[in-house]
Amino acid sequence: MEFYIKWASGDPEQGSRDGFGGDLFKYNYWVEGYNPITGQKSWLVPAREYLKAHIAHWLEYYRVDGLRLDSVNNIANYDFLQEFKDFARTLWDKRGGSGDRFLVVGEELSVPLSLIQQNRLDGLWNEKFKQIIRQVILGKNAWDEPSFEWSIRKLIDCRNLGFTDGSQAVNYITSHDVGGYGNERFFSYLVSNGIADTEPRIKLAFVSLLTSVGIPMILAGDEFADQQDLATTDDHKQIDPVNYSRVKDDWRQRIFQYVARLVRLRKTSHALAVNDTKFIHVDFNEGKRVLVWQRGNKADQLVVVVANFSDYGTPPASEYRVPNWPATPVGKQWKEITQERIVPSEWVGREGIFPWEAKVYALV
């Protein structure tokens, strides 16, 4: 068909596109014909109208409220991406949907921000979050960042990576592409890097994910530290099913409940629904890597995270002081979310810390 690329034929639309075993549409092949959506005769690109007809079906019959476009670099046509996004949004609007309740995001591991800057898509998968969290959780800087502090700043606030709003970045610890070293399930990644005590680091990673600016995404099974049962190769990716029986393990159940508490906070906290993020304390003295960030823009609805990315722990019965702790408004108190406990007023900003641990405090 003239609507598909003929491989190695010199077709100018082939370029470096990869069909991964399938056919690639031609998004700039114009013909005169009947538009399948309007029924009118006009000049059109068959592949574009074919895909727009499909999304119209999904919106009308299945009421989808968002789209994730895989491997957008292999579409290789920014004009069509915007046309597709705008068409889907128009249908959503006609059905009475609210514009802020619909997103069209793309997956491309190089994170081409121009797709957002040019209004081609609403957002992108933030592969850089995954890359950074997998370095800092080992006590290392991000690959392209000489500063550990700025590795964390970029991790927690996607605006430091070039995004302008949290709705533009889908953050994740692991994606469905678990093939190849560095991409495997998070528990397996830690084990392959010689980490024996994985529980605290998994919890720390989830605190980072669920208190960061952006849209959090969790690969099924990571919330209870499921592991890779097949070889970490592209041949076996996406065919290793989640083993839900593992959630019964005591330590995995602890992780599962820990993540559940963080998810409940994420769903209800105003502070985590806005972009506002401020780092109020950093401590790299004597081998420590402790960072404290504040989320929110309302004095009575703040969230504060104390995160320790090091082996340091305060001695028994001692304290760790965080200067610049925000004031406690009248009638409010601080609650540590991961342990579901109210913090006595005399201990606010002074609680001890443990190695590779985070505490999440919210005003209640």
Side-chain angles (χ1 to χ4, degrees), residues 190 196-204 251-252 254-255:
L190 292 174
D197 188 9
T198 59
E199 182 177 345
R201 301 200 196 207
I202 292 171
K203 290 177 176 178
L204 176 56
W251 69 275
R252 284 187 160 110
R254 290 195 299 270
I255 292 174

Side-chain angles (χ1 to χ4, degrees), residues 199 203 223-225 244-261:
E199 182 177 345
K203 290 177 176 178
E223 72 278 12
F224 61 85
Y244 287 102
S245 67
R246 289 189 173 121
V247 76
K248 299 176 183 177
D249 297 342
D250 288 344
W251 69 275
R252 284 187 160 110
Q253 182 62 209
R254 290 195 299 270
I255 292 174
F256 179 74
Q257 294 300 332
Y258 187 96
V259 173
R261 289 190 285 272

Side-chain angles (χ1 to χ4, degrees), residues 107-140:
E107 179 197 357
E108 164 46 36
L109 302 187
S110 66
V111 193
L113 291 173
S114 57
L115 285 170
I116 298 173
Q117 295 161 350
Q118 297 177 20
N119 197 34
R120 310 295 187 165
L121 295 173
D122 297 322
L124 291 168
W125 276 27
N126 184 12
E127 174 74 5
K128 293 185 182 300
F129 185 97
K130 186 191 86 173
Q131 295 170 354
I132 296 173
I133 191 63
R134 289 174 177 240
Q135 287 297 103
V136 297
I137 209 67
L138 301 177
K140 301 177 181 179

Side-chain angles (χ1 to χ4, degrees), residues 184-202:
E184 63 267 51
R185 283 194 173 274
F186 196 60
F187 168 79
S188 300
Y189 172 79
L190 292 174
V191 171
S192 69
N193 278 278
I195 305 301
D197 188 9
T198 59
E199 182 177 345
R201 301 200 196 207
I202 292 171

